[in-house]
Amino acid sequence: MQHRSVSDVMTREVVTARPDTPFKEVAALFHRNDITAIPVVDDQRRPLGMVSEADLLRKEAVLPDPEGRFPGRWLDAEDRARAEAETAGGLMTSPAMTARPGWSVPEAARAMDKHRVKRLPVVDEIGRLVGIVSRRDLLQVFLRHDAGIRDEINHDVLGQTLWLDPGDVQVSVHDGVVTLEGRLPRRSLIPITEQLCRAVDGVVAVHATLDWTEDDTEPHLEHPRAYRAAS
């Protein structure tokens, strides 16, 4: 079993800014390339930070209402300095959280969730920018066809990993939801089987109705029973 990697889904041609790129040029880069954020890089293309549309809009948010009805948004000293910045270096959020090309899609998703960011610059072993990956890129795994998911579960999970006989477990997949039916040789294999199936790229959920032949979780109980779980 192999997850798709960041290298498989990232954008390789990355629009970037330099620390001295003017505010208006950053806005123009967003408009010309239909993007909402760009990495700010140094002379060696190492990411220093990220500038997003939100960073640019902060400049508008601090302005008072033209008719005097509402004051501008209050900001602390650091955010006010960024709101008043004239270049990408002053506008950017720093340091930039980055990913590596060899990361799996789940690894990148965990990093985005941990740092509460929508995209990650991707860097090589010496920290140079080689791509950028976004939430939308990571969601590509859920575009897999059901047949591909079913084939991977049958071959990689049930056959190559668990060494089950063909026909022990019947697998069906609909809209990414996996249903498992059949009998396993040991009860302890049920949660392992479910976990391995959930780890397959593109799986939304796993529903299992599985029997077992030997209850190896309770040595004296060896009669078949049904196990039903939904996850």
Side-chain angles (χ1 to χ4, degrees):
M1 294 175 58
Q2 290 187 345
H3 285 293
R4 297 181 73 187
S5 69
V6 166
S7 180
D8 294 327
V9 299
M10 71 183 187
T11 298
R12 297 178 184 275
E13 299 296 325
V14 186
V15 178
T16 63
R18 299 288 299 278
D20 59 353
T21 300
F23 181 103
K24 292 192 69 172
E25 177 58 21
V26 173
L29 288 172
F30 289 164
H31 178 72
R32 288 200 301 267
N33 296 281
D34 193 25
I35 55 179
T36 59
I38 54 176
V40 181
V41 299
D42 64 13
D43 292 339
Q44 286 74 46
R45 285 185 62 80
R46 292 176 300 204
L48 302 172
M50 292 288 297
V51 176
S52 70
E53 287 180 330
D55 296 319
L56 272 63
L57 286 173
R58 190 179 289 108
K59 187 175 289 291
E60 295 290 336
V62 298
L63 297 176
D65 183 88
E67 298 179 3
R69 291 177 298 178
F70 304 104
R73 177 185 168 194
W74 182 89
L75 298 174
D76 60 29
E78 181 180 352
D79 282 342
R80 179 161 290 280
R82 291 171 62 194
E84 295 173 353
E86 300 177 13
T87 63
L91 293 161
M92 70 182 182
T93 300
S94 180
M97 301 297 124
T98 61
R100 297 294 296 275
W103 283 11
S104 68
V105 167
E107 282 181 288
R110 285 193 292 269
M112 286 188 190
D113 183 63
K114 176 181 178 180
H115 297 292
R116 299 175 182 260
V117 295
K118 298 179 180 180
R119 58 196 64 79
L120 294 168
V122 184
V123 298
D124 62 15
E125 63 278 0
I126 60 174
R128 292 177 305 190
L129 186 72
V130 294
I132 192 166
V133 64
S134 69
R135 291 175 176 176
R136 180 178 297 180
D137 297 327
L138 300 186
L139 289 174
Q140 288 183 31
V141 297
F142 293 107
L143 301 180
R144 291 188 70 188
H145 293 298
D146 290 341
I149 296 172
R150 185 184 65 245
D151 291 346
E152 182 174 344
I153 290 173
N154 278 321
H155 183 269
D156 293 2
V157 176
L158 303 180
Q160 297 296 315
T161 303
L162 297 175
W163 292 92
L164 298 176
D165 292 331
D168 281 356
V169 177
Q170 291 73 51
V171 181
S172 61
V173 184
H174 180 69
D175 289 340
V177 177
V178 176
T179 300
L180 305 173
E181 297 178 299
R183 175 172 293 180
L184 297 176
R186 298 184 303 281
R187 185 180 185 182
S188 63
L189 286 176
I190 292 175
I192 296 171
T193 302
E194 293 180 9
Q195 183 175 357
L196 289 172
C197 289
R198 279 195 296 269
V200 171
D201 283 344
V203 169
V204 174
V206 175
H207 300 282
T209 303
L210 296 169
D211 297 337
W212 66 84
T213 300
E214 176 187 352
D215 188 350
D216 55 343
T217 64
E218 299 181 34
H220 299 294
L221 299 177
E222 297 185 356
H223 53 81
R225 294 185 58 186
Y227 175 91
R228 290 177 174 80
S231 55

